[in-house]
Amino acid sequence: MRNADLVARDLAVVWHPCTQMKDHESVPLLPIVRGRGVWLEDADGRRYLDAISSWWTNLFGHAHPAINAALKDQLDALEHVLLAGCTHAPVIELSERLVALAPQGLTRAFYCDNGSSAIEAALKMSFHYWLNVSGRPDKRRFVTLANSYHGETLGALAVGDVALFKQTYAPLIVEALTVPSPDAYLAGPGETALDCARRAAAALDAMLAAHAGEIAALIVEPLVQCAGGMRMHDPEYLRLARAACDRHGVHLIADEIAVGFGRTGTLFACEQAGITPDFLCLSKGLTGGYLPMSVVLTGDDLYRAFYDDYGKLTAFLHSHSYTGNPLAARAALATLDLFAASDVLGRNRELAAHMARLAEPFRTHPHIGDVRQRGMILAFEMVADPATRTPYPWQQRRGLDVYRHALDRGALLRPLGNVVYFMPPYVITEAELDRLAEIAWECIELVTLDPLPFGDIEPDGRSGWLA
Ligand SMILES: *Cc1c(COP(=O)(O)O)cnc(C)c1O
């Protein structure tokens, strides 16, 4: 079966995620038949470098022999069993190892199916904790950062702030309290990233001081707001946010669904601030990019607040059919084995240093307003005018053009609006990074040639997922 056949059959029956399906009248749909390491191969035999780790899930490449072997072994033993009333060795061992690796004090693992459902569980747990300890449902609001993203189910959307995802469904969701983001891209003249962190933390403190009695938790994406355009902040914000939450009696939920498992340079991003959140949500890289699974890690104090006689009705009643799936747990264990088998974070430091060298020429590109990096995430912000950081209007979809030109050159490089970024699997080589940088440069050149930034479109600061 060749590309054209698969595309025709797909477009007759499949509805794709996060896609205006009409786009596929002009944007090619990629039928992938094989993955090996950082490479994906389509049905016509063309290869594409997966520069974005298949939406930030893949850590050690596609079809990794060790993860494949673990899954084949597990498949012959047990494919699935419910986790209510039953247990199995993979989920026990995974929980032990996650607790040992996570920041001090996180001692319990609660499993869900995907990132959004982990966020839902953490929100419910936080609210339910305060209900259990006070007997009153007063603490029921959540504080979120501007430009944050926590998933797309209704509860997760409620604590997100990316307009593209949220606006349409706003009438369906409970409003969160929004505080400014510590995003260093928003620095005023002469301001450092640290200044941004302190300014945002002061605003957070004021919000908590004013509403602590009705707030259950603050939710943050530690160090990088990924879906919000790979916006980055100083770790000091996390320290200050932790202190503010403690001062005002509010939980801290760390959403490390995208940044966990070594993306930012440490195994977990929270480590760079030396903090322990009340809830740590993990998914994406958890199974090495193989299977949907997520986990909420929390501590003894939280766990104890739910532990009582059945008749008190304090139990946390939340479940998903595939909670703790043995295959997903084995993929996660095999992934942790790969971290244990070699100095992955050390190698990533070398790769990140190489990425930093490759990023240098982009800093002076006439249509790049910012180059930012945290570990294995490197982002270029395309702008109409770097001096004023005037964004290109989202309607021009220049990021989409980058995507198309990159495919022609053998890279799957899917920008977020006008932000072109690399978030590659950790098994990428320096030569492959060199090629990726060449491709990115050529594509950015092509899509920013047009000297007329706006035409008749009024920029409104919004941006799109694909472009
Ligand atoms: C991807 C993501 C989610 C949602 O995870 P899904 O598995 O797509 O539901 C939540 N938070 C962050 C930070 C993410 O990047």
Side-chain angles (χ1 to χ4, degrees):
M1 191 77 50
R2 307 258 306 179
N3 276 4
D5 304 312
L6 290 168
V7 168
R9 285 172 56 192
D10 174 291
L11 293 178
V13 288
V14 182
W15 194 341
H16 288 266
C18 216
T19 300
Q20 169 48 262
M21 291 300 294
K22 189 168 192 287
D23 276 357
H24 284 307
E25 290 179 9
S26 57
V27 181
L29 180 65
L30 257 197
I32 298 299
V33 292
R34 193 171 291 105
R36 284 287 180 279
V38 297
W39 294 95
L40 295 166
E41 190 181 316
D42 73 15
D44 289 347
R46 290 206 52 187
R47 299 202 317 153
Y48 306 89
L49 203 168
D50 186 353
I52 57 164
S53 297
S54 287
W55 265 352
W56 328 337
T57 56
N58 192 289
L59 301 185
F60 295 105
H62 296 277
H64 191 285
I67 305 177
N68 286 9
L71 281 174
K72 285 173 187 165
D73 180 65
Q74 183 59 40
L75 204 46
D76 285 332
L78 174 68
E79 81 301 336
H80 183 64
V81 68
L82 73 167
L83 200 66
C86 296
T87 192
H88 49 83
V91 85
I92 296 168
E93 191 185 337
L94 179 59
S95 307
E96 289 169 349
R97 289 175 68 177
L98 288 173
V99 161
L101 290 168
Q104 192 77 33
L106 297 172
T107 54
R108 285 279 159 185
F110 186 93
Y111 292 88
C112 296
D113 291 356
N114 54 58
S116 304
S117 61
I119 297 297
E120 303 275 340
L123 299 175
K124 283 173 69 178
M125 261 185 199
S126 172
F127 164 78
H128 200 163
Y129 169 90
W130 297 115
L131 180 65
N132 280 352
V133 299
S134 74
R136 289 185 321 189
D138 302 350
K139 283 167 85 74
R140 59 183 172 77
R141 304 198 70 184
F142 296 96
V143 180
T144 186
L145 270 51
N147 193 42
S148 59
Y149 176 89
H150 300 288
E152 290 163 62
T153 56
L154 291 177
L157 263 188
V159 291
D161 185 48
V162 176
L164 176 73
F165 301 113
K166 190 167 184 174
Q167 259 169 10
T168 309
Y169 308 105
L172 302 184
I173 59 192
V174 181
E175 229 184 299
L177 298 163
T178 306
V179 291
S181 168
D183 182 356
Y185 187 68
L186 305 177
E191 246 189 342
T192 63
L194 189 59
D195 297 333
C196 293
R198 291 189 174 132
R199 182 161 44 76
L204 169 67
D205 196 66
M207 173 69 86
L208 297 186
H211 297 278
E214 48 175 323
I215 295 172
L218 162 72
I219 181 165
V220 292
E221 292 160 273
L223 300 185
V224 188
Q225 293 186 311
C226 293
M230 300 297 163
R231 296 296 184 82
M232 303 177 183
H233 59 256
D234 192 284
E236 178 69 3
Y237 182 76
L238 301 172
R239 276 188 287 274
L240 295 172
R242 174 72 276 183
C245 286
D246 288 343
R247 235 183 348 265
H248 298 292
V250 165
H251 290 144
L252 174 61
I253 302 173
D255 175 355
E256 294 214 22
I257 289 164
V259 296
F261 299 102
R263 256 312 145 191
T264 65
T266 43
L267 191 61
F268 299 112
C270 282
E271 292 171 32
Q272 292 181 45
I275 61 153
T276 299
D278 298 291
F279 302 93
L280 177 64
C281 299
L282 304 170
S283 186
K284 293 203 165 104
L286 172 62
T287 61
Y290 266 65
L291 287 161
M293 172 180 249
S294 61
V295 63
V296 181
L297 296 174
T298 191
D300 286 341
D301 172 49
L302 264 136
Y303 178 73
R304 291 267 144 220
F306 292 82
Y307 195 95
D308 209 336
D309 297 329
Y310 184 82
K312 302 265 179 62
L313 295 177
T314 56
F316 185 55
L317 298 174
H318 182 102
S319 60
H320 298 284
S321 309
Y322 286 98
T323 296
N325 176 262
L327 286 165
R330 273 302 286 278
L333 286 169
T335 300
L336 293 180
D337 286 344
L338 290 173
F339 276 102
S342 72
D343 182 13
V344 174
L345 299 178
R347 172 72 187 135
N348 281 0
R349 272 194 293 280
E350 289 168 17
L351 288 169
H354 192 70
M355 278 160 66
R357 282 190 292 275
L358 293 171
E360 265 321 300
F362 289 80
R363 291 184 186 279
T364 48
H365 188 283
H367 290 292
I368 291 181
D370 191 35
V371 174
R372 48 185 178 265
Q373 183 182 9
R374 175 81 58 183
M376 291 295 286
I377 307 174
L378 172 64
F380 310 110
E381 183 107 19
M382 296 191 297
V383 291
D385 178 6
T388 55
R389 288 188 164 174
T390 307
Y392 285 116
W394 60 273
Q395 295 92 332
Q396 294 180 342
R397 309 189 75 188
R398 292 179 194 244
L400 179 64
D401 284 339
V402 167
Y403 173 73
R404 276 197 268 225
H405 291 304
L407 282 184
D408 289 342
R409 289 162 174 74
L412 180 62
L413 189 62
R414 190 181 154 115
L416 293 154
N418 291 319
V419 178
V420 178
Y421 68 94
F422 303 164
M423 195 154 162
Y426 304 162
V427 292
I428 196 165
T429 63
E430 287 171 10
E432 286 161 344
L433 281 172
D434 293 348
R435 179 67 193 131
L436 196 53
E438 269 170 32
I439 292 173
W441 181 270
E442 286 172 24
C443 295
I444 292 171
E445 283 278 277
L446 280 172
V447 310
T448 58
L449 274 177
D450 178 3
L452 295 169
F454 299 137
D456 54 3
I457 300 171
E458 275 296 308
D460 65 2
R462 276 191 296 180
S463 72
W465 177 268
L466 179 63

